[in-house]
């Protein structure tokens, strides 16, 4: 494995942060279900000093019929310095991820990272709620591990199209989380039912913070509940990116602020933002 510090424009990356370009080696790249795959890389310690919610920029391989041009930003599913492993959970959705799916054990993969601002768990937040759907659960997996290490009480509401598409259930359960599953096929994943479930959790045990990823409808639900009960929260946003370092401005989105609408780069000021600041499309 080769590791190099990425040279970026002064001011783009704070002086106390380092971004690395690294050639890792594929350990495994296997299906989790019909839609998703788990990519496990052998990675050096330098790039495994991560924070839950951060991401890497992956240089997808070029194959016959598959020629991805730009790198692909991908949330970290797991980082384990003690094992020297970096993990990504992904869905084949286009040329880049289709190319990633062809990687075999032993092949190299160039990655840049860790990038962005991750989740925060305040010391006075004890009861945490994770709410996500599909691959959004991948982004929240490192957060669940960090919460477990810090002795927090965790509830994970996991949503999917059908029970067989639910992911990370055993992982969250092994971390001591209270698991609630909702699916489209069982007609339990609607906003009305989710609101009822969360209101019940607030009334029974209390919730100190909400965490979610991606979905506009889940964002709006948690914003409403957060404002109603004065509960803080954070969201990891998904966005197309070109450089991943804050220079190209490709990933700029609008956010609420006390003074009005402001514009921020998802790759640099995020991808994790305050729940109430985020604006859906």
């Amino acid at each position: 494995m080769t590791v190099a510090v990425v040279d970026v424009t002064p001011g783009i990356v704070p002086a106390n942060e380092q971004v690395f370009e690294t050639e890792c080696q594929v350990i495994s790249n296997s299906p989790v279900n019909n839609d998703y795959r788990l990519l496990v890389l052998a990675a050096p310690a330098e790039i495994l000093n991560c924070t839950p919610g951060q991401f890497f920029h992956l240089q997808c391989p070029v194959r016959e019929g598959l020629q991805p041009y730009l790198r692909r930003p991908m949330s970290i599913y797991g980082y384990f310095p003690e094992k020297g492993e970096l993990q990504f959970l992904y869905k084949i959705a286009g040329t880049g991820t289709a190319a990633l799916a062809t990687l075999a054990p032993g092949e190299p993969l160039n990655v840049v990272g860790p990038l962005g601002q991750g989740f925060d768990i305040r010391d006075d937040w004890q009861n945490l709620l994770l709410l996500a759907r599909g691959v959004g659960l991948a982004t929240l997996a490192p957060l669940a591990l960090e919460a477990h290490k810090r002795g927090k009480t965790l509830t994970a509401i996991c949503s999917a199209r059908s029970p067989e598409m639910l992911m990370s259930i055993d992982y969250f359960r092994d971390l001591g989380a209270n698991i609630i599953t909702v699916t489209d096929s069982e007609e339990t994943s609607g906003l009305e039912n989710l609101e009822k479930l969360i209101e019940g959790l607030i009334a029974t045990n209390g919730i100190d913070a909400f965490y979610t990823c991606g979905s506009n409808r889940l964002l709006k639900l948690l914003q409403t509940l957060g404002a109603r009960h004065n509960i803080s929260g954070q969201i990891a946003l998904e966005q197309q990116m070109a450089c991943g370092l804050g220079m190209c401005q490709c990933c700029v989105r609008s956010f609420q602020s006390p003074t009005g609408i402001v514009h921020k780069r998802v790759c640099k000021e995020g991808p994790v933002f305050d729940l109430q600041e985020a604006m859906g499309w």
Side-chain angles (χ1 to χ4, degrees), residues 68-95:
Y69 180 65
L70 296 173
R71 290 176 179 267
R72 296 301 191 271
M74 194 162 293
S75 298
I76 303 166
Y77 181 65
Y79 55 95
F80 303 99
E82 67 280 4
K83 297 192 295 183
E85 286 187 8
L86 181 62
Q87 300 181 359
F88 301 97
L89 187 66
Y90 67 99
K91 179 179 181 179
I92 300 175
T95 301

PDB file of all heavy atoms in Angstrom, residues 68-95:
ATOM      1  N   PRO A  68     -15.902   4.840 -15.930  1.00  0.00           N
ATOM      2  CA  PRO A  68     -16.244   5.983 -15.071  1.00  0.00           C
ATOM      3  C   PRO A  68     -15.149   7.042 -15.135  1.00  0.00           C
ATOM      4  O   PRO A  68     -13.960   6.720 -15.126  1.00  0.00           O
ATOM      5  CB  PRO A  68     -16.355   5.361 -13.677  1.00  0.00           C
ATOM      6  CG  PRO A  68     -15.550   4.099 -13.759  1.00  0.00           C
ATOM      7  CD  PRO A  68     -15.678   3.601 -15.160  1.00  0.00           C
ATOM      8  N   TYR A  69     -15.576   8.298 -15.182  1.00  0.00           N
ATOM      9  CA  TYR A  69     -14.616   9.397 -15.334  1.00  0.00           C
ATOM     10  C   TYR A  69     -14.213   9.987 -13.985  1.00  0.00           C
ATOM     11  O   TYR A  69     -13.029  10.046 -13.652  1.00  0.00           O
ATOM     12  CB  TYR A  69     -15.220  10.482 -16.237  1.00  0.00           C
ATOM     13  CG  TYR A  69     -14.310  11.657 -16.459  1.00  0.00           C
ATOM     14  CD1 TYR A  69     -13.097  11.519 -17.138  1.00  0.00           C
ATOM     15  CD2 TYR A  69     -14.656  12.923 -15.983  1.00  0.00           C
ATOM     16  CE1 TYR A  69     -12.259  12.608 -17.346  1.00  0.00           C
ATOM     17  CE2 TYR A  69     -13.827  14.016 -16.181  1.00  0.00           C
ATOM     18  CZ  TYR A  69     -12.628  13.850 -16.862  1.00  0.00           C
ATOM     19  OH  TYR A  69     -11.806  14.928 -17.052  1.00  0.00           O
ATOM     20  N   LEU A  70     -15.192  10.418 -13.196  1.00  0.00           N
ATOM     21  CA  LEU A  70     -14.902  11.026 -11.904  1.00  0.00           C
ATOM     22  C   LEU A  70     -14.861   9.978 -10.796  1.00  0.00           C
ATOM     23  O   LEU A  70     -15.421   8.894 -10.940  1.00  0.00           O
ATOM     24  CB  LEU A  70     -15.967  12.075 -11.568  1.00  0.00           C
ATOM     25  CG  LEU A  70     -16.049  13.292 -12.478  1.00  0.00           C
ATOM     26  CD1 LEU A  70     -17.262  14.132 -12.111  1.00  0.00           C
ATOM     27  CD2 LEU A  70     -14.774  14.123 -12.397  1.00  0.00           C
ATOM     28  N   ARG A  71     -14.199  10.326  -9.695  1.00  0.00           N
ATOM     29  CA  ARG A  71     -14.261   9.498  -8.501  1.00  0.00           C
ATOM     30  C   ARG A  71     -15.693   9.477  -7.975  1.00  0.00           C
ATOM     31  O   ARG A  71     -16.506  10.344  -8.290  1.00  0.00           O
ATOM     32  CB  ARG A  71     -13.323  10.035  -7.417  1.00  0.00           C
ATOM     33  CG  ARG A  71     -11.842   9.858  -7.727  1.00  0.00           C
ATOM     34  CD  ARG A  71     -10.994  10.502  -6.645  1.00  0.00           C
ATOM     35  NE  ARG A  71      -9.575  10.326  -6.909  1.00  0.00           N
ATOM     36  CZ  ARG A  71      -8.837   9.334  -6.436  1.00  0.00           C
ATOM     37  NH1 ARG A  71      -9.390   8.431  -5.637  1.00  0.00           N
ATOM     38  NH2 ARG A  71      -7.566   9.237  -6.734  1.00  0.00           N
ATOM     39  N   ARG A  72     -15.987   8.500  -7.120  1.00  0.00           N
ATOM     40  CA  ARG A  72     -17.304   8.398  -6.509  1.00  0.00           C
ATOM     41  C   ARG A  72     -17.193   8.587  -5.000  1.00  0.00           C
ATOM     42  O   ARG A  72     -16.424   7.887  -4.340  1.00  0.00           O
ATOM     43  CB  ARG A  72     -17.936   7.024  -6.802  1.00  0.00           C
ATOM     44  CG  ARG A  72     -18.216   6.743  -8.278  1.00  0.00           C
ATOM     45  CD  ARG A  72     -19.162   7.767  -8.899  1.00  0.00           C
ATOM     46  NE  ARG A  72     -19.621   7.366 -10.218  1.00  0.00           N
ATOM     47  CZ  ARG A  72     -19.003   7.640 -11.352  1.00  0.00           C
ATOM     48  NH1 ARG A  72     -17.869   8.320 -11.328  1.00  0.00           N
ATOM     49  NH2 ARG A  72     -19.507   7.251 -12.520  1.00  0.00           N
ATOM     50  N   PRO A  73     -17.948   9.563  -4.435  1.00  0.00           N
ATOM     51  CA  PRO A  73     -17.949   9.724  -2.984  1.00  0.00           C
ATOM     52  C   PRO A  73     -18.733   8.600  -2.340  1.00  0.00           C
ATOM     53  O   PRO A  73     -19.820   8.239  -2.807  1.00  0.00           O
ATOM     54  CB  PRO A  73     -18.653  11.070  -2.782  1.00  0.00           C
ATOM     55  CG  PRO A  73     -19.563  11.198  -3.962  1.00  0.00           C
ATOM     56  CD  PRO A  73     -18.850  10.511  -5.104  1.00  0.00           C
ATOM     57  N   MET A  74     -18.216   8.025  -1.271  1.00  0.00           N
ATOM     58  CA  MET A  74     -18.908   6.918  -0.618  1.00  0.00           C
ATOM     59  C   MET A  74     -18.732   7.001   0.895  1.00  0.00           C
ATOM     60  O   MET A  74     -17.614   7.110   1.412  1.00  0.00           O
ATOM     61  CB  MET A  74     -18.384   5.570  -1.130  1.00  0.00           C
ATOM     62  CG  MET A  74     -19.277   4.406  -0.759  1.00  0.00           C
ATOM     63  SD  MET A  74     -18.955   2.931  -1.764  1.00  0.00           S
ATOM     64  CE  MET A  74     -19.504   3.492  -3.376  1.00  0.00           C
ATOM     65  N   SER A  75     -19.870   6.975   1.599  1.00  0.00           N
ATOM     66  CA  SER A  75     -19.847   7.008   3.056  1.00  0.00           C
ATOM     67  C   SER A  75     -19.129   5.781   3.606  1.00  0.00           C
ATOM     68  O   SER A  75     -19.194   4.688   3.027  1.00  0.00           O
ATOM     69  CB  SER A  75     -21.270   7.043   3.609  1.00  0.00           C
ATOM     70  OG  SER A  75     -21.942   8.199   3.189  1.00  0.00           O
ATOM     71  N   ILE A  76     -18.478   5.968   4.738  1.00  0.00           N
ATOM     72  CA  ILE A  76     -17.774   4.859   5.386  1.00  0.00           C
ATOM     73  C   ILE A  76     -18.791   3.982   6.106  1.00  0.00           C
ATOM     74  O   ILE A  76     -19.590   4.471   6.906  1.00  0.00           O
ATOM     75  CB  ILE A  76     -16.754   5.385   6.399  1.00  0.00           C
ATOM     76  CG1 ILE A  76     -15.762   6.332   5.727  1.00  0.00           C
ATOM     77  CG2 ILE A  76     -16.018   4.234   7.073  1.00  0.00           C
ATOM     78  CD1 ILE A  76     -14.931   7.145   6.714  1.00  0.00           C
ATOM     79  N   TYR A  77     -18.756   2.691   5.826  1.00  0.00           N
ATOM     80  CA  TYR A  77     -19.602   1.741   6.554  1.00  0.00           C
ATOM     81  C   TYR A  77     -18.904   1.250   7.814  1.00  0.00           C
ATOM     82  O   TYR A  77     -19.529   1.021   8.845  1.00  0.00           O
ATOM     83  CB  TYR A  77     -19.958   0.560   5.652  1.00  0.00           C
ATOM     84  CG  TYR A  77     -20.858  -0.472   6.317  1.00  0.00           C
ATOM     85  CD1 TYR A  77     -22.157  -0.145   6.699  1.00  0.00           C
ATOM     86  CD2 TYR A  77     -20.415  -1.769   6.558  1.00  0.00           C
ATOM     87  CE1 TYR A  77     -22.983  -1.078   7.303  1.00  0.00           C
ATOM     88  CE2 TYR A  77     -21.236  -2.706   7.155  1.00  0.00           C
ATOM     89  CZ  TYR A  77     -22.521  -2.356   7.528  1.00  0.00           C
ATOM     90  OH  TYR A  77     -23.345  -3.275   8.130  1.00  0.00           O
ATOM     91  N   GLY A  78     -17.593   1.091   7.723  1.00  0.00           N
ATOM     92  CA  GLY A  78     -16.834   0.642   8.882  1.00  0.00           C
ATOM     93  C   GLY A  78     -15.365   0.973   8.734  1.00  0.00           C
ATOM     94  O   GLY A  78     -14.822   0.901   7.633  1.00  0.00           O
ATOM     95  N   TYR A  79     -14.733   1.385   9.837  1.00  0.00           N
ATOM     96  CA  TYR A  79     -13.279   1.585   9.845  1.00  0.00           C
ATOM     97  C   TYR A  79     -12.738   0.956  11.118  1.00  0.00           C
ATOM     98  O   TYR A  79     -13.204   1.235  12.213  1.00  0.00           O
ATOM     99  CB  TYR A  79     -12.912   3.071   9.738  1.00  0.00           C
ATOM    100  CG  TYR A  79     -13.525   3.963  10.785  1.00  0.00           C
ATOM    101  CD1 TYR A  79     -12.822   4.298  11.953  1.00  0.00           C
ATOM    102  CD2 TYR A  79     -14.795   4.485  10.620  1.00  0.00           C
ATOM    103  CE1 TYR A  79     -13.377   5.117  12.916  1.00  0.00           C
ATOM    104  CE2 TYR A  79     -15.362   5.308  11.580  1.00  0.00           C
ATOM    105  CZ  TYR A  79     -14.653   5.621  12.727  1.00  0.00           C
ATOM    106  OH  TYR A  79     -15.213   6.430  13.684  1.00  0.00           O
ATOM    107  N   PHE A  80     -11.756   0.068  10.948  1.00  0.00           N
ATOM    108  CA  PHE A  80     -11.285  -0.741  12.065  1.00  0.00           C
ATOM    109  C   PHE A  80      -9.750  -0.733  12.081  1.00  0.00           C
ATOM    110  O   PHE A  80      -9.105  -1.591  11.464  1.00  0.00           O
ATOM    111  CB  PHE A  80     -11.813  -2.169  11.932  1.00  0.00           C
ATOM    112  CG  PHE A  80     -13.326  -2.236  11.841  1.00  0.00           C
ATOM    113  CD1 PHE A  80     -13.950  -2.364  10.613  1.00  0.00           C
ATOM    114  CD2 PHE A  80     -14.107  -2.137  12.983  1.00  0.00           C
ATOM    115  CE1 PHE A  80     -15.344  -2.410  10.512  1.00  0.00           C
ATOM    116  CE2 PHE A  80     -15.503  -2.174  12.901  1.00  0.00           C
ATOM    117  CZ  PHE A  80     -16.114  -2.318  11.667  1.00  0.00           C
ATOM    118  N   PRO A  81      -9.161   0.261  12.772  1.00  0.00           N
ATOM    119  CA  PRO A  81      -7.693   0.363  12.812  1.00  0.00           C
ATOM    120  C   PRO A  81      -7.025  -0.893  13.353  1.00  0.00           C
ATOM    121  O   PRO A  81      -5.925  -1.259  12.907  1.00  0.00           O
ATOM    122  CB  PRO A  81      -7.451   1.558  13.744  1.00  0.00           C
ATOM    123  CG  PRO A  81      -8.717   2.358  13.671  1.00  0.00           C
ATOM    124  CD  PRO A  81      -9.814   1.358  13.496  1.00  0.00           C
ATOM    125  N   GLU A  82      -7.698  -1.571  14.319  1.00  0.00           N
ATOM    126  CA  GLU A  82      -7.093  -2.762  14.911  1.00  0.00           C
ATOM    127  C   GLU A  82      -6.952  -3.896  13.910  1.00  0.00           C
ATOM    128  O   GLU A  82      -6.083  -4.765  14.054  1.00  0.00           O
ATOM    129  CB  GLU A  82      -7.912  -3.229  16.125  1.00  0.00           C
ATOM    130  CG  GLU A  82      -9.308  -3.761  15.808  1.00  0.00           C
ATOM    131  CD  GLU A  82     -10.355  -2.687  15.590  1.00  0.00           C
ATOM    132  OE1 GLU A  82      -9.994  -1.496  15.604  1.00  0.00           O
ATOM    133  OE2 GLU A  82     -11.535  -3.048  15.409  1.00  0.00           O
ATOM    134  N   LYS A  83      -7.794  -3.910  12.876  1.00  0.00           N
ATOM    135  CA  LYS A  83      -7.728  -4.944  11.835  1.00  0.00           C
ATOM    136  C   LYS A  83      -7.136  -4.413  10.538  1.00  0.00           C
ATOM    137  O   LYS A  83      -6.871  -5.191   9.617  1.00  0.00           O
ATOM    138  CB  LYS A  83      -9.127  -5.506  11.546  1.00  0.00           C
ATOM    139  CG  LYS A  83      -9.779  -6.217  12.704  1.00  0.00           C
ATOM    140  CD  LYS A  83     -11.024  -6.987  12.254  1.00  0.00           C
ATOM    141  CE  LYS A  83     -12.121  -6.075  11.766  1.00  0.00           C
ATOM    142  NZ  LYS A  83     -13.355  -6.836  11.401  1.00  0.00           N
ATOM    143  N   GLY A  84      -6.963  -3.102  10.450  1.00  0.00           N
ATOM    144  CA  GLY A  84      -6.474  -2.514   9.203  1.00  0.00           C
ATOM    145  C   GLY A  84      -7.484  -2.623   8.084  1.00  0.00           C
ATOM    146  O   GLY A  84      -7.108  -2.880   6.931  1.00  0.00           O
ATOM    147  N   GLU A  85      -8.777  -2.415   8.407  1.00  0.00           N
ATOM    148  CA  GLU A  85      -9.843  -2.577   7.410  1.00  0.00           C
ATOM    149  C   GLU A  85     -10.673  -1.314   7.255  1.00  0.00           C
ATOM    150  O   GLU A  85     -10.951  -0.601   8.225  1.00  0.00           O
ATOM    151  CB  GLU A  85     -10.775  -3.731   7.789  1.00  0.00           C
ATOM    152  CG  GLU A  85     -10.192  -5.097   7.568  1.00  0.00           C
ATOM    153  CD  GLU A  85     -11.215  -6.204   7.793  1.00  0.00           C
ATOM    154  OE1 GLU A  85     -12.419  -5.915   7.970  1.00  0.00           O
ATOM    155  OE2 GLU A  85     -10.802  -7.377   7.793  1.00  0.00           O
ATOM    156  N   LEU A  86     -11.087  -1.072   6.013  1.00  0.00           N
ATOM    157  CA  LEU A  86     -11.994   0.008   5.654  1.00  0.00           C
ATOM    158  C   LEU A  86     -13.123  -0.615   4.842  1.00  0.00           C
ATOM    159  O   LEU A  86     -12.864  -1.374   3.904  1.00  0.00           O
ATOM    160  CB  LEU A  86     -11.247   1.053   4.826  1.00  0.00           C
ATOM    161  CG  LEU A  86     -12.008   2.286   4.355  1.00  0.00           C
ATOM    162  CD1 LEU A  86     -12.509   3.113   5.532  1.00  0.00           C
ATOM    163  CD2 LEU A  86     -11.105   3.142   3.453  1.00  0.00           C
ATOM    164  N   GLN A  87     -14.384  -0.312   5.202  1.00  0.00           N
ATOM    165  CA  GLN A  87     -15.523  -0.989   4.587  1.00  0.00           C
ATOM    166  C   GLN A  87     -16.514   0.010   3.993  1.00  0.00           C
ATOM    167  O   GLN A  87     -16.758   1.074   4.565  1.00  0.00           O
ATOM    168  CB  GLN A  87     -16.250  -1.857   5.614  1.00  0.00           C
ATOM    169  CG  GLN A  87     -15.389  -2.949   6.235  1.00  0.00           C
ATOM    170  CD  GLN A  87     -16.155  -3.799   7.230  1.00  0.00           C
ATOM    171  OE1 GLN A  87     -17.339  -3.567   7.489  1.00  0.00           O
ATOM    172  NE2 GLN A  87     -15.490  -4.785   7.798  1.00  0.00           N
ATOM    173  N   PHE A  88     -17.094  -0.384   2.844  1.00  0.00           N
ATOM    174  CA  PHE A  88     -18.122   0.409   2.177  1.00  0.00           C
ATOM    175  C   PHE A  88     -19.283  -0.495   1.787  1.00  0.00           C
ATOM    176  O   PHE A  88     -19.077  -1.590   1.258  1.00  0.00           O
ATOM    177  CB  PHE A  88     -17.569   1.085   0.919  1.00  0.00           C
ATOM    178  CG  PHE A  88     -16.403   1.999   1.178  1.00  0.00           C
ATOM    179  CD1 PHE A  88     -15.106   1.550   1.006  1.00  0.00           C
ATOM    180  CD2 PHE A  88     -16.612   3.298   1.609  1.00  0.00           C
ATOM    181  CE1 PHE A  88     -14.025   2.381   1.245  1.00  0.00           C
ATOM    182  CE2 PHE A  88     -15.543   4.142   1.862  1.00  0.00           C
ATOM    183  CZ  PHE A  88     -14.239   3.682   1.677  1.00  0.00           C
ATOM    184  N   LEU A  89     -20.490  -0.030   2.050  1.00  0.00           N
ATOM    185  CA  LEU A  89     -21.709  -0.723   1.630  1.00  0.00           C
ATOM    186  C   LEU A  89     -22.309   0.096   0.498  1.00  0.00           C
ATOM    187  O   LEU A  89     -22.558   1.290   0.666  1.00  0.00           O
ATOM    188  CB  LEU A  89     -22.680  -0.827   2.806  1.00  0.00           C
ATOM    189  CG  LEU A  89     -23.939  -1.670   2.609  1.00  0.00           C
ATOM    190  CD1 LEU A  89     -23.595  -3.144   2.430  1.00  0.00           C
ATOM    191  CD2 LEU A  89     -24.881  -1.488   3.794  1.00  0.00           C
ATOM    192  N   TYR A  90     -22.543  -0.522  -0.657  1.00  0.00           N
ATOM    193  CA  TYR A  90     -22.993   0.260  -1.809  1.00  0.00           C
ATOM    194  C   TYR A  90     -23.998  -0.507  -2.660  1.00  0.00           C
ATOM    195  O   TYR A  90     -24.092  -1.732  -2.609  1.00  0.00           O
ATOM    196  CB  TYR A  90     -21.798   0.680  -2.671  1.00  0.00           C
ATOM    197  CG  TYR A  90     -21.082  -0.457  -3.377  1.00  0.00           C
ATOM    198  CD1 TYR A  90     -21.338  -0.759  -4.713  1.00  0.00           C
ATOM    199  CD2 TYR A  90     -20.134  -1.235  -2.711  1.00  0.00           C
ATOM    200  CE1 TYR A  90     -20.682  -1.797  -5.363  1.00  0.00           C
ATOM    201  CE2 TYR A  90     -19.473  -2.274  -3.344  1.00  0.00           C
ATOM    202  CZ  TYR A  90     -19.752  -2.552  -4.678  1.00  0.00           C
ATOM    203  OH  TYR A  90     -19.108  -3.590  -5.315  1.00  0.00           O
ATOM    204  N   LYS A  91     -24.752   0.279  -3.426  1.00  0.00           N
ATOM    205  CA  LYS A  91     -25.733  -0.262  -4.356  1.00  0.00           C
ATOM    206  C   LYS A  91     -25.262   0.015  -5.774  1.00  0.00           C
ATOM    207  O   LYS A  91     -24.780   1.109  -6.068  1.00  0.00           O
ATOM    208  CB  LYS A  91     -27.104   0.391  -4.120  1.00  0.00           C
ATOM    209  CG  LYS A  91     -28.193  -0.092  -5.053  1.00  0.00           C
ATOM    210  CD  LYS A  91     -29.510   0.596  -4.733  1.00  0.00           C
ATOM    211  CE  LYS A  91     -30.628   0.105  -5.656  1.00  0.00           C
ATOM    212  NZ  LYS A  91     -31.927   0.751  -5.334  1.00  0.00           N
ATOM    213  N   ILE A  92     -25.399  -0.954  -6.653  1.00  0.00           N
ATOM    214  CA  ILE A  92     -25.042  -0.740  -8.057  1.00  0.00           C
ATOM    215  C   ILE A  92     -26.120   0.132  -8.690  1.00  0.00           C
ATOM    216  O   ILE A  92     -27.259  -0.293  -8.885  1.00  0.00           O
ATOM    217  CB  ILE A  92     -24.913  -2.067  -8.813  1.00  0.00           C
ATOM    218  CG1 ILE A  92     -23.832  -2.940  -8.164  1.00  0.00           C
ATOM    219  CG2 ILE A  92     -24.576  -1.814 -10.281  1.00  0.00           C
ATOM    220  CD1 ILE A  92     -23.712  -4.323  -8.777  1.00  0.00           C
ATOM    221  N   ALA A  93     -25.756   1.383  -8.967  1.00  0.00           N
ATOM    222  CA  ALA A  93     -26.739   2.349  -9.468  1.00  0.00           C
ATOM    223  C   ALA A  93     -26.295   3.024 -10.757  1.00  0.00           C
ATOM    224  O   ALA A  93     -27.066   3.784 -11.346  1.00  0.00           O
ATOM    225  CB  ALA A  93     -27.002   3.412  -8.407  1.00  0.00           C
ATOM    226  N   GLY A  94     -25.084   2.768 -11.208  1.00  0.00           N
ATOM    227  CA  GLY A  94     -24.584   3.424 -12.410  1.00  0.00           C
ATOM    228  C   GLY A  94     -23.245   2.841 -12.818  1.00  0.00           C
ATOM    229  O   GLY A  94     -22.815   1.793 -12.314  1.00  0.00           O
ATOM    230  N   THR A  95     -22.550   3.561 -13.706  1.00  0.00           N
ATOM    231  CA  THR A  95     -21.289   3.067 -14.259  1.00  0.00           C
ATOM    232  C   THR A  95     -20.222   2.876 -13.182  1.00  0.00           C
ATOM    233  O   THR A  95     -19.521   1.858 -13.148  1.00  0.00           O
ATOM    234  CB  THR A  95     -20.763   4.045 -15.324  1.00  0.00           C
ATOM    235  OG1 THR A  95     -21.730   4.176 -16.366  1.00  0.00           O
ATOM    236  CG2 THR A  95     -19.457   3.535 -15.920  1.00  0.00           C
TER     237      THR A  95
END
